[in-house]
């Protein structure tokens, strides 16, 4: 009887574990992005001030994205062959420990060139950890869903961790940015990184209580029964479905690059070119993050009712148009203008992000699903996510702070995802019919 009850409650446990785990991982990642926008240029690259210092700091931010495909390959293999749960425990430990260590790093003033070198090295490890985390969290939640047609909703709990992590990171930086500037630069910026140690303990306790994915267990039993040799999942994905992987990479662009446009680049743009106080910008992002948190489960629920494909097409199409209204409102320089402008853009991309994970995961077979969706998401992040703040910074500098090239960049990001979702529909439906 206890076992039956436990089986009934596993979907809820898996969803909560996916949410809490991804919240912690994304908190760590967003803390780094916020620090890169606010202080890393001055602390780790003081020899290159202003525009070039910010660009160097965003360069270390991009390094994490470049490392993420490696994490997707390594932990995707582990998750497809050993188990989703094992992979997720390791990635959570890696992320938490590295984030605390970043908070302990000496600055350029005390360690010279070793300070940025160590920062980049730890950022690489952080990127590898996040590269293996996301796909496993999506699958643990989605594959524990009570029925197949509910996977989009359950998988959205992993997506819910992103805005929750952003909210926590914004709250922590809002707290420490109230310190005098000297104290903030001396030790205040470290506090959000150290707080990760507390969250790590909580996350591990929750994740250890979730059983392995039923889809993975069924696939492992099938392989054992047929005495089937397990081919490397990455090789199978690259050889057997390169076109599918390319479409999945591009479908994820809006959910990844769009976020780092609004939540990382916009901090630097508004404080540098519009001279808006950083505290006001962080207040805006905090409000918008709460809005996105609420939008995520609502979007997944609506998508189940109207159709996932139709929902994704609609939200991507809307996102092509929103940056023009966003920048017009942001130019007002008020909290209301900032919040309405950024909130408008995040409403579209946040709704898209809530649903895209479950949509893409259904396009890959169980035996390579962890590897397939991890590589798609992380390669998309490496190509588009990490480079977006850098490209935005270059465009803003060359345009003298004018916003129209930036709006075109955001529209291009949304258009890539729109076209890819349309093209992904047929191969996804074929895979779902084979799995039925």
């Amino acid at each position: 009887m206890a076992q039956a009850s436990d089986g009934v409650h596993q979907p809820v446990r898996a969803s909560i574990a996916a949410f809490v785990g991804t919240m912690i991982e994304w908190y760590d990642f967003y803390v780094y992005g916020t620090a890169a926008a606010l202080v890393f240029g001055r602390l780790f690259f003081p020899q290159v001030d202003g525009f070039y210092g910010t660009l160097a700091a965003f360069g270390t931010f991009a390094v994490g994205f470049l490392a993420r495909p490696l994490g997707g390959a390594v932990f995707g293999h582990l998750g497809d062959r050993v188990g989703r749960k094992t992979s997720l425990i390791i990635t959570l430990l890696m992320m938490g420990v590295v984030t605390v260590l970043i908070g302990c790093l000496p600055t350029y003033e005390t360690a010279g060139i070793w300070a940025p070198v160590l920062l980049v090295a730890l950022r690489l490890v952080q990127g590898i950890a996040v590269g293996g985390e996301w796909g496993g969290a999506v699958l643990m939640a989605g594959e524990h869903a009570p029925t197949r047609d509910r996977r989009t909703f359950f998988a959205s709990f992993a997506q819910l961790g992103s805005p929750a992590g952003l909210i926590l990171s914004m709250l922590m930086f809002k707290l420490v940015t109230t310190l005098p500037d000297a104290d903030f630069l001396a030790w205040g910026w470290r506090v959000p990184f150290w707080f990760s140690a507390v969250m790590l303990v909580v996350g591990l306790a929750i994740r250890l209580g979730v059983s392995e994915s039923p889809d993975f267990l069924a696939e492992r039993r099938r392989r054992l029964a047929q005495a089937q040799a397990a081919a490397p999942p990455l090789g199978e994905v690259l050889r057997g479905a390169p076109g599918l992987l390319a479409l999945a990479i591009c479908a994820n662009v809006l959910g990844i690059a769009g976020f780092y446009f609004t939540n990382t680049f916009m901090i630097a743009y508004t404080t540098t070119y519009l001279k808006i106080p950083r505290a006001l910008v962080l207040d805006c992002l905090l409000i918008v993050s709460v809005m996105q948190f609420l939008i995520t489960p609502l979007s997944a629920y609506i998508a189940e009712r109207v159709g996932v494909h139709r929902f994704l097409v609609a939200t991507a199409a809307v996102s092509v148009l929103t940056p023009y209204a966003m920048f017009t409102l942001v130019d007002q320089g008020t909290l209301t203008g900032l919040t309405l402008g950024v909130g408008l853009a995040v409403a579209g991309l946040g709704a898209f992000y809530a649903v895209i994970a479950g949509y893409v995961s259904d396009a890959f077979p169980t035996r390579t699903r962890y590897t397939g969706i991890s590589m798609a998401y992380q390669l998309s992040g490496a190509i588009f996510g990490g480079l977006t703040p850098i490209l935005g910074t270059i465009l803003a500098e060359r345009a003298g702070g004018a916003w129209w090239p930036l709006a075109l960049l955001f529209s291009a990001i949304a258009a890539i995802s729109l076209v890819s979702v349309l093209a992904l529909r047929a191969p996804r439906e074929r895979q779902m019919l084979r799995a039925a």
Side-chain angles (χ1 to χ4, degrees):
M1 190 72 175
Q3 288 180 340
S5 176
D6 185 67
V8 169
H9 288 92
Q10 275 298 311
V12 176
R13 288 185 187 178
S15 298
I16 293 172
F19 162 61
V20 173
T22 52
M23 176 184 69
I24 294 168
E25 299 256 2
W26 285 115
Y27 166 83
D28 293 346
F29 214 71
Y30 285 133
V31 159
Y32 190 101
T34 306
L38 292 177
V39 297
F40 279 177
R42 283 185 284 175
L43 295 177
F44 291 91
F45 304 96
Q47 71 276 30
V48 281
D49 293 330
F51 162 67
Y52 291 105
T54 301
L55 202 61
F58 278 147
T60 68
F61 185 66
V63 163
F65 282 93
L66 296 176
R68 281 163 62 168
L70 176 59
V74 172
F75 290 105
H77 182 95
L78 186 66
D80 280 329
R81 293 296 174 258
V82 179
R84 319 305 202 202
K85 182 175 177 178
T86 300
S87 185
L88 287 173
I89 295 297
I90 296 172
T91 57
L92 187 61
L93 278 169
M94 285 175 62
M95 193 71 172
V97 170
V98 166
T99 302
V100 172
L101 289 176
I102 290 174
C104 298
L105 281 179
T107 62
Y108 189 92
E109 184 180 1
T110 57
I113 191 64
W114 283 108
V117 168
L118 290 171
L119 180 67
V120 170
L122 290 176
R123 180 62 176 167
L124 281 168
V125 179
Q126 197 182 48
I128 291 170
V130 169
E133 156 69 20
W134 179 83
V138 167
L139 294 186
M140 282 292 276
E143 291 179 351
H144 270 98
T147 60
R148 188 175 185 86
D149 59 1
R150 305 238 50 210
R151 284 193 175 184
T152 294
F153 181 76
F154 278 82
S156 73
F157 280 83
Q159 305 295 72
L160 195 60
S162 178
L166 182 57
I167 291 168
L168 280 177
S169 70
M170 289 295 106
L171 285 173
M172 290 301 296
F173 269 98
K174 182 174 171 58
L175 177 65
V176 296
T177 51
T178 60
L179 294 167
D181 200 54
D183 290 339
F184 176 66
L185 291 174
W187 58 268
W189 68 270
R190 300 179 185 274
V191 174
F193 290 89
W194 293 337
F195 183 66
S196 182
V198 178
M199 299 174 66
L200 174 61
V201 175
V202 175
L204 281 174
I206 294 173
R207 276 210 168 149
L208 288 169
V210 180
S211 63
E212 183 55 85
S213 156
D215 281 27
F216 171 79
L217 294 175
E219 175 63 21
R220 185 168 64 182
R221 286 194 297 268
R222 185 191 67 80
R223 287 201 309 266
L224 290 173
Q226 297 178 1
Q228 185 178 9
L234 179 59
E236 190 172 346
V237 169
L238 294 177
R239 287 193 306 271
L244 175 62
L245 180 60
L247 288 176
I249 289 170
C250 292
N252 276 295
V253 170
L254 176 58
I256 298 172
F259 265 132
Y260 290 106
F261 189 103
T262 58
N263 296 324
T264 300
F265 166 71
M266 286 298 286
I267 297 176
Y269 173 75
T270 52
T271 55
T272 301
Y273 296 98
L274 303 183
K275 306 302 180 184
I276 299 175
R278 69 186 179 198
L280 193 66
V281 177
L282 292 179
D283 283 343
C284 160
L285 291 180
L286 177 59
I287 296 169
V288 170
S289 299
V290 173
M291 181 195 75
Q292 188 207 338
F293 182 85
L294 298 174
I295 283 174
T296 299
L298 178 62
S299 299
Y301 177 81
I302 294 172
E304 281 190 345
R305 296 298 179 271
V306 305
V308 177
H309 179 79
R310 183 181 302 171
F311 185 85
L312 287 171
V313 169
T315 52
V318 167
S319 294
V320 173
L321 305 175
T322 54
Y324 307 95
M326 174 178 69
F327 279 105
T328 300
L329 290 164
V330 166
D331 262 0
Q332 296 176 8
T334 64
L335 178 60
T336 301
L338 276 170
T339 304
L340 288 175
V342 177
L344 183 63
V346 170
L349 71 89
F352 181 92
Y353 181 75
V355 177
I356 190 64
Y359 185 82
V360 171
S361 67
D362 279 336
F364 291 91
T366 303
R367 66 183 182 277
T368 61
R369 188 174 292 151
Y370 197 141
T371 299
I373 67 169
S374 293
M375 293 306 296
Y377 189 85
Q378 306 312 338
L379 284 170
S380 185
I383 298 167
F384 299 99
L387 296 179
T388 293
I390 294 176
L391 183 55
T393 301
I394 294 171
L395 288 174
E397 180 70 12
R398 290 188 174 179
W403 59 259
W404 64 266
L406 305 173
L408 290 174
L409 172 62
F410 192 97
S411 291
I413 287 169
I416 290 170
S417 283
L418 173 59
V419 172
S420 301
V421 166
L422 289 170
L424 191 59
R425 182 177 188 176
R428 176 179 176 270
E429 288 181 350
R430 285 195 298 269
Q431 174 55 41
M432 292 178 70
L433 284 173
R434 285 195 291 267

